[in-house]
Amino acid sequence: MLYGLKFKNMLFIFVGAGIFAFGLVHFNMQNNLAEGGFTGLTLIIYQLIGINPSYSNLILNIPLFFLGWKYLGRTSFFYTIIGTVSLSVWLWIFERYQFKFDLGDDLMLVALFAGVFVGIGLGIIFRYGGTTGGVDIIAQFAHRYLGMGMGRTMFIFDAVVIGLSILTYLDYRGAMYTLVAVFIGARVIDFMQEGAYAARGALIISEKNAEIAEKIMKDMERGVTVLKGYGSFTKTNREVLYCVVAKNELVRLKNAITSVDPHAFVSVSEVHDVLGEGFTLDENKNPIIR
């Protein structure tokens, strides 16, 4: 594998770029909605001077590739090039061979579709190690040399781009629906990144930890980890149990705990992605196909 690149990753980055471009052309561009990041800049340029976004996307990113080579690492850099070039290729294709969606001038539906397609496309790209260049590279540079959080940098850049869109071609109605699309897209990206399989993690504090652990392992066939803790109020060392279960097993877990110790302290939190035996691997360490 050249520079550690994987064909599977390159394929999914290419597919993700296609989904992203499809949504951008058929919902954002066809309905005059804006977008954040460098993609939003390409739309501003398109509206003002008519340069095709498939070209301006590459032109704007070329200077940043020099930063990316130094700060992203070789593998991430090449995945970024694949993502950026793929996006331009797909934009070029979809701008010439468009579909028409009859949404009855319902901009809320347009915004929802735009957010979902952009979110799924970018989510796939990010999940397989790629980016579409632009603000992602700038955010990493700002984080390293200015100490700014990447999320904050990306938010500021998106806000500036949408502000410029309002000043140039976007009306206030379109701006509001753009914000809806950007919000939906961000949530979909989070969902794609964190994984569709949600689980629950439980921290258990009890005077009967051994019995509770035995009950969980015997009745639910779930592993339990014993952590070392210290009670700030009691000033004593004590053990804390940690157990991860599927979302639909949470009630069984609570029942197992309370059947041993009704007074046990239990804290439950969301676990967005779980890897390992019982979730992605079976007892023989073989992948579980869901």
Side-chain angles (χ1 to χ4, degrees):
M1 294 180 292
L2 181 64
Y3 298 118
L5 302 182
K6 297 180 180 179
F7 176 77
K8 176 183 176 181
N9 291 39
M10 292 188 288
L11 176 62
F12 275 99
I13 289 171
F14 182 74
V15 171
I19 296 172
F20 179 17
F22 184 91
L24 192 68
V25 170
H26 293 90
F27 300 107
N28 293 74
M29 293 179 65
Q30 285 187 6
N31 297 277
N32 290 322
L33 293 187
E35 180 59 61
F38 264 47
T39 306
L41 285 180
T42 66
L43 295 183
I44 293 175
I45 294 171
Y46 174 73
Q47 293 290 340
L48 292 181
I49 56 180
I51 295 179
N52 193 303
S54 61
Y55 302 139
S56 58
N57 178 61
L58 285 177
I59 294 170
L60 290 173
N61 274 290
I62 286 174
L64 294 177
F65 285 154
F66 293 100
L67 286 177
W69 173 258
K70 185 174 182 180
Y71 301 113
L72 289 180
R74 285 190 175 184
T75 301
S76 296
F77 172 72
F78 283 113
Y79 282 149
T80 293
I81 288 183
I82 292 169
T84 304
V85 173
S86 296
L87 177 60
S88 286
V89 169
W90 282 114
L91 285 171
W92 188 90
I93 293 172
F94 287 133
E95 285 169 15
R96 284 156 180 76
Y97 305 99
Q98 296 187 26
F99 301 92
K100 293 296 181 181
F101 292 91
D102 184 13
L103 299 178
D105 297 323
D106 189 337
L107 281 182
M108 179 57 75
L109 274 179
V110 171
L112 292 175
F113 274 109
V116 169
F117 273 89
V118 169
I120 290 175
L122 285 177
I124 292 174
I125 292 172
F126 294 159
R127 192 170 180 86
Y128 286 91
T131 73
T132 55
V135 69
D136 305 304
I137 299 175
I138 294 175
Q140 293 199 37
F141 182 82
H143 177 68
R144 177 169 296 191
Y145 289 98
L146 302 178
M148 295 178 62
M150 292 182 62
R152 180 184 177 190
T153 302
M154 296 175 75
F155 175 79
I156 292 173
F157 198 92
D158 285 350
V160 170
V161 169
I162 293 175
L164 289 175
S165 300
I166 295 173
L167 293 175
T168 52
Y169 74 94
L170 194 67
D171 59 25
Y172 292 108
R173 184 167 177 260
M176 182 55 66
Y177 285 113
T178 294
L179 291 176
V180 172
V182 170
F183 176 79
I184 296 297
R187 300 306 302 159
V188 174
I189 289 173
D190 288 343
F191 177 80
M192 297 289 293
Q193 288 289 90
E194 294 167 352
Y197 181 76
R200 296 292 184 265
L203 288 171
I204 307 159
I205 301 174
S206 169
E207 300 295 335
K208 301 178 180 180
N209 280 344
E211 294 93 325
I212 291 175
E214 182 66 26
K215 180 77 172 177
I216 293 172
M217 290 188 291
K218 181 179 178 181
D219 291 2
M220 301 184 63
E221 297 184 347
R222 288 296 185 189
V224 180
T225 300
V226 180
L227 307 175
K228 299 297 182 181
Y230 177 78
S232 179
F233 180 75
T234 61
K235 309 298 182 184
T236 58
N237 294 315
R238 64 187 311 160
E239 294 179 342
V240 179
L241 303 181
Y242 181 66
C243 180
V244 177
V245 298
K247 184 178 180 180
N248 59 2
E249 295 178 316
L250 183 58
V251 173
R252 288 181 60 199
L253 177 66
K254 291 179 179 178
N255 290 337
I257 296 170
T258 55
S259 68
V260 176
D261 182 4
H263 305 292
F265 178 86
V266 182
S267 173
V268 179
S269 59
E270 290 189 1
V271 179
H272 293 286
D273 210 358
V274 187
L275 306 175
E277 186 175 340
F279 293 92
T280 58
L281 302 174
D282 61 21
E283 63 273 12
N284 298 315
K285 310 299 183 184
N286 295 317
I288 297 174
I289 300 176
R290 296 187 182 278

